[in-house]
């Protein structure tokens, strides 16, 4: 079975609050999957369960075939993660960050060196390879953070609002990188508040109050709701009832 | 009409970073004015200068007729400021936060309730909840109430919608329009280009400089090159093939379509022929009018 993510009635309760309520969906290997929802809809809780960081209350889920209850260490080996708040160490250099993360994932020394050279070359960071990450422009950091999240060749990478705050050209260069990674077979699981980015996904789900209220290709969703943009779909679906 | 904000050749540097470079800008009383730009554009530094929290290295800024350096004490009660970072006391309740800000400015919630009725009404069911336990959208509404409770003449909102979902963003802008209709001058910054259209006028900012100041329509009209929206079945291959095409200047993803700028006198027919030759299917090409984001990207490139 070639599923990067597969869930069945996955649920998380905090006391009497149901953060994620019986969500059931699959993501195919190599797919770009947009995981949308209003603030507080339950996206972060769902992602934490999928990454093996939070035990579900009920239901089941596998990531690249590994069980989220029992095989969390295996899951961590096959996923990459990047959030808007950088996962990079500001007071390490570009090269040190790559080697640090590669080291954590147990890449051998020669492989580490090769990866570092490859990333630095691909991102054209040659002139700043030994500069502190703190000194880089935001857009460069974001692209580096993405490459670092892929340093151990994960099957699936989780991107949590990866493009917040960057300029429109950098935002698109970032999506170029996402397309390239997907084209090489990496599954992309991405959240965003930019509705134009929802259009770049193969399929999109929209969460409202802990449930998945719609899941389809952007084109099919727009057609189903009779609107011409994903923003239109989102405005109809995501209003929800939550006033937490 | 009177000017609410006058900025003359203001510059500010931190260590070796020039945060704001020689910015001049005039905002009229009653305007809803947007500063549009990505992180690092200098928006927050400019805000801090205008709300008297930072002194400019050079230049001069006047808000409501008062100099931001010399007259800062007189100016502070007249302005409301909502910083980009959550600025409330997380351990105080919703009501305690509001009451605290009212007291600091020597007023009460009751005295100016009318101005915040609209917004605070939605928060009142949770008035005893700790501010730290509110959702993102609710925090943002409370912060807005706290910035309004002393009935300022000019309101400064630094990225109030960053990280906020598309539905809450729309509601927030509806609130701003209602406040603006009551005569409040509002200066608001945002990294979301699609919000520019909500403003009377906008300034596009990038790396400390202003790229353009105009109405949203005026900014769109700055875009001069031929522009096409292009779609085909395989988007990834389409981007690559269009970028390699001899007629292409730039090609970027724009939602469902790609936006393609070309050399002069290129037609949809030329592009179609090229793409058919590359075995693209379901090709759709239409000439379009530029949006704010197209203009911003073109201006960024012109400024290197």
């Amino acid at each position: 079975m070639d599923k990067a993510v597969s869930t069945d009635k996955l649920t998380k309760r905090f006391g009497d609050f149901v953060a994620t309520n019986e969500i059931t969906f699959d993501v195919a290997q190599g797919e770009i999957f947009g995981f949308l929802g209003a603030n507080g809809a339950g996206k972060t809780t769902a992602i934490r369960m999928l990454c093996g960081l939070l035990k579900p209350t009920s239901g089941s889920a596998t990531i690249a075939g590994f069980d989220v209850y029992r095989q969390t260490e295996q899951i961590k080996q096959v996923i990459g993660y990047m959030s808007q708040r950088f996962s990079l160490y500001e007071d390490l250099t570009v090269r040190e960050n790559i080697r640090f993360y590669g080291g954590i994932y147990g890449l051998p020394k020669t492989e580490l060196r090769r990866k570092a050279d490859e990333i630095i070359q691909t991102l054209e960071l040659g002139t700043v390879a030994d500069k502190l990450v703190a000194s880089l422009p935001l857009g460069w950091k974001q692209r580096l953070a993405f490459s670092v999240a892929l340093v151990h060749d994960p099957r699936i990478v989780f991107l949590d609002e990866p493009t917040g705050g960057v300029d429109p050209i950098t935002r698109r260069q970032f999506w170029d990188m996402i397309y390239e990674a997907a084209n090489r077979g990496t599954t992309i699981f991405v959240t965003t508040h930019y509705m134009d980015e929802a259009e770049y996904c193969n399929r999109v789900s929209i969460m409202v109050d802990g449930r998945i209220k719609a899941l389809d290709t952007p084109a099919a969703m727009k057609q189903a709701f009779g609107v011409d943009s994903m923003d239109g779909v989102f405005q109809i679906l995501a209003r929800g009832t939550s006033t937490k | 009409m009177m000017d609410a904000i006058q900025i003359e050749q203001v510059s500010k540097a931190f260590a070796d970073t020039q945060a704001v470079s020689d910015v001049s800008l005039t905002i009229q009383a009653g305007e809803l004015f947007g500063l549009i730009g990505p992180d690092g554009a200098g928006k927050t530094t400019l805000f801090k200068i205008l709300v008297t929290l930072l002194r400019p290295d050079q230049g001069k800024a006047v808000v409501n007729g008062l100099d931001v350096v010399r007259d800062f004490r007189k100016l502070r009660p007249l302005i409301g400021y909502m910083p980009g970072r959550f600025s409330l006391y997380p351990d105080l309740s919703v009501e305690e936060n509001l009451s605290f800000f009212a007291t600091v400015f020597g007023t009460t919630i009751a005295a100016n309730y009318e101005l915040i009725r609209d917004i605070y009404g939605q928060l009142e069911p949770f008035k005893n909840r700790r501010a730290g336990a509110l959702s993102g959208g609710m925090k943002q509404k409370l912060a807005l109430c706290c910035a309004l409770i002393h009935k300022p003449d000019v309101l400064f909102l630094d990225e109030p919608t960053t990280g906020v979902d598309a539905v809450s963003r729309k509601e927030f802008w509806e609130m701003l329009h209602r406040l603006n209709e009551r005569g409040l001058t509002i200066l608001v910054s945002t990294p979301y280009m699609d919000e520019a259209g909500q403003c009377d006028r906008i300034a596009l900012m990038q790396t400390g400089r202003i790229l353009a100041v105009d109405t949203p329509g005026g900014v769109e009209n700055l875009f001069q090159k031929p522009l096409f929206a292009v779609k085909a079945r395989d988007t990834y291959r389409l981007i690559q093939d269009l970028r390699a095409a001899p007629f292409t200047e730039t090609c970027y993803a724009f939602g469902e379509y790609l936006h393609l700028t070309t050399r002069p006198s290129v037609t949809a027919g030329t592009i179609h022929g090229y793409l058919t030759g590359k075995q693209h299917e379901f090709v759709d090409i239409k000439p379009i009018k530029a949006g704010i984001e197209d203009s911003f990207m073109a201006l960024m490139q012109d400024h290197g």
Side-chain angles (χ1 to χ4, degrees), chain A residues 92-128:
Chain A
L92 293 183
T93 67
V94 170
R95 195 182 293 276
E96 284 165 347
N97 264 285
I98 301 170
R99 294 183 63 171
F100 174 77
Y101 278 96
I104 281 184
Y105 284 108
L107 297 190
K109 255 195 180 141
T110 49
E111 176 67 5
L112 264 182
R113 201 168 297 134
R114 194 189 63 77
K115 273 279 179 191
D117 288 341
E118 180 190 301
I119 291 172
I120 288 162
Q121 196 189 348
T122 312
L123 298 183
E124 295 173 6
L125 294 176
T127 54
V128 295

Side-chain angles (χ1 to χ4, degrees), chain A residues 38-39 138 165-168 171-172 176 179-180 183 193-194 196 199-200 222 231 234-235 239 243-244, chain B residues 38-39 126 129 135 138 163-166 169-171 192 236 243 252-256 293 296-297 300:
Chain A
N39 301 108
L138 178 70
V166 299
D167 70 69
R171 196 153 72 83
R172 286 169 174 83
D176 287 347
Y179 274 123
E180 278 164 32
N183 204 46
H193 288 311
Y194 290 98
D196 60 333
E199 310 264 3
Y200 308 156
K222 284 183 284 184
D231 187 51
F234 194 80
Q235 296 291 344
R239 238 163 234 284
T243 39
K244 293 175 293 294
Chain B
D39 288 2
F126 312 98
R129 189 175 288 190
S135 73
M138 291 300 220
V164 175
D165 67 69
R169 278 164 49 193
K170 196 162 173 242
E171 285 174 0
Y192 296 103
Y236 180 59
R243 285 195 181 144
Y252 293 111
F254 256 85
E256 186 181 2
E293 198 158 10
F296 192 97
M297 290 161 75
M300 273 176 74

